[in-house]
Amino acid sequence: MANSRKKQAKETSTASTRGPQPLRGWGLVIARIIWAAIAFTDLIVLILGVPALTIQVQKPCLDLTRATCSSLQLLPTQMATAQFLGISPGAYAVYTVTCDLLITLLFLIVGALIFWHKSNDWMGLFVSSLLITFGGLGADLVHTNALPGLLPSSNLIFLIYDFLSILSGALSLLVWPALGLFFCTFPDGRLVPRWSWIFPCLFVVQFVFYLLPSPWNFQNWPPLLQLLEILLVYGGSVGAQFYRYFFVASPLQRQQIKWLAFGFGLVVFVVLPLENLLQILNGPHSILQLADPFTLMFDYLPIPLAIGVALLRYRLWDIDRVINRTLVYGLLTLILAGIYLGLVFSGEALLVGIVGKNDDLVIVGSTLIVAILFQPLRRGIQNGIDRRFYRQKYDAQRTLKAFSATLHQQTDLAQLSEQIVVIVQETIQPAHISLWLRGPVGKESDGAPPGQE
């Protein structure tokens, strides 16, 4: 039984590290025809959806729950803020459509590049069509949801519009299950483990519960049940990627998975928390009340970029440095911001009773303290992250530093050669190492190896 499990794990690992198999013959032709049909439908929806969105966002959303409105429409309170700031509905529409087109073009460009370079394997075609669909239907499906605002002027146009609405609605239904399939098959197009097909099915079940009427609708579930459902559906797909990364992925595929995790991690741990912070700072007549189009664009911005880099394999090995720098400077920014705010508030409280209110003195003093702490904190955070997440690199740096400190004290060539071999083995860990020493010029070799191995 144990031998059978080991054999199955070995076969799974071997299949995963082979890489995606290219499509050939009629299979390739049919796959490209399906891709072209999906891309054509997405582009038609985009062409009609952008003018419809322009009309839609100029009207206020009277449904405070936004259940029947676009996520980019203004509530009555937001409309009052826009009027207070002198922003007309037309100006807001231009701003909204500009943000929408920027993220849409990014999805379309990355999807087209993946098709250009990876159109001979099904994973490339699948991811390309998924990205183009997200671009055509719009972030949060804003183009599809805006289409009902267009009123056909003739029976023929009405039939075309009705047919297009059915197609876009079908694509909208398929987007989320396709997203679940993407998580379970990235980056080589194979289901790992084999039973992970369950997770795309859970995405379908989740979408059905979003469409059901109250009280079965997902949004009416108790909060604890909603949390459990989200952990099961999304956590299962993420768990499949963890399993692939640690047990069956090749070194190249691990770098691709790191890029995918980096893109989604930026959204979950950086972009969304910043949006929540903006909501806290939001005032009655603050321009932040009109930030929904801008924040929606940034919600999706890292995802197509990370997927494009991962699948096109562009400078994959730089991801470790990118993640390292992101962790270091992200933590450094949070710590320094906390220290600065603490110094400002505590400094003002202390100085009020001594010299009275003196904001300039407190701000200058706090800035100088933060500037002094910058380098020591950066080095400390860098060392801590290297020790925790990059242990091999950290140990290699310490070993090389210690060897460099004793190098000038070593005079025995044989002992120095042995130390060099040991250091290289500990830091680089090559499969084979040889050290060749050049003898004195003019002397013939006695047949022995001119170095040690």
Side-chain angles (χ1 to χ4, degrees), residues 336 339-340 343 362-374 377:
L336 290 179
I339 293 174
Y340 180 79
L343 289 173
V362 173
I363 291 174
V364 171
S366 302
T367 304
L368 287 175
I369 293 174
V370 167
I372 293 171
L373 292 175
F374 180 85
L377 277 176

Side-chain angles (χ1 to χ4, degrees), residues 34-249:
I34 294 174
W35 179 92
I38 294 173
F40 179 75
T41 304
D42 293 331
L43 292 178
I44 296 298
V45 172
L46 174 64
I47 293 172
L48 295 179
V50 171
L53 179 64
T54 306
I55 298 172
Q56 184 187 56
V57 295
Q58 296 184 59
K59 303 174 183 178
C61 174
L62 301 179
D63 185 358
L64 298 181
T65 64
R66 290 190 182 274
T68 59
C69 300
S70 168
S71 59
L72 299 179
Q73 278 184 274
L74 294 177
L75 297 172
T77 55
Q78 294 174 307
M79 188 70 75
T81 299
Q83 294 175 354
F84 176 81
L85 296 174
I87 300 174
S88 65
Y92 175 76
V94 171
Y95 152 66
T96 301
V97 172
T98 301
C99 292
D100 172 68
L101 286 179
L102 287 175
I103 191 62
T104 296
L105 287 176
L106 180 61
F107 273 108
L108 296 180
I109 290 171
V110 175
L113 285 174
I114 292 175
F115 176 79
W116 182 263
H117 292 280
K118 299 284 182 180
S119 63
N120 63 337
D121 69 83
W122 92 264
M123 190 63 184
L125 290 171
F126 170 64
V127 176
S128 174
S129 63
L130 185 61
L131 292 175
I132 291 175
T133 299
F134 267 104
L137 303 185
D140 280 359
L141 304 178
V142 292
H143 301 155
T144 303
N145 295 335
L147 282 179
L150 288 179
L151 298 176
S153 58
S154 67
N155 292 333
L156 178 61
I157 296 178
F158 178 80
L159 289 175
I160 296 174
Y161 166 79
D162 198 32
F163 178 69
L164 183 63
S165 298
I166 294 173
L167 285 180
S168 63
L171 288 176
S172 302
L173 292 174
L174 293 174
V175 161
W176 299 111
L179 188 61
L181 183 62
F182 165 76
F183 281 123
C184 295
T185 57
F186 183 86
D188 61 358
R190 296 182 176 87
L191 286 168
V192 177
R194 294 180 180 177
W195 50 264
S196 59
W197 57 267
I198 296 174
F199 299 121
C201 295
L202 291 178
F203 273 85
V204 177
V205 174
Q206 180 195 51
F207 191 80
V208 169
F209 277 105
Y210 267 108
L211 298 178
L212 290 178
S214 179
W216 298 280
N217 189 284
F218 174 76
Q219 295 177 343
N220 295 322
W221 290 10
L224 181 59
L225 193 58
Q226 289 187 19
L227 178 62
L228 291 176
E229 190 272 344
I230 291 172
L231 289 176
L232 178 62
V233 175
Y234 294 95
S237 301
V238 173
Q241 282 295 316
F242 270 99
Y243 177 85
R244 181 190 294 268
Y245 180 87
F246 286 106
F247 295 104
V248 299

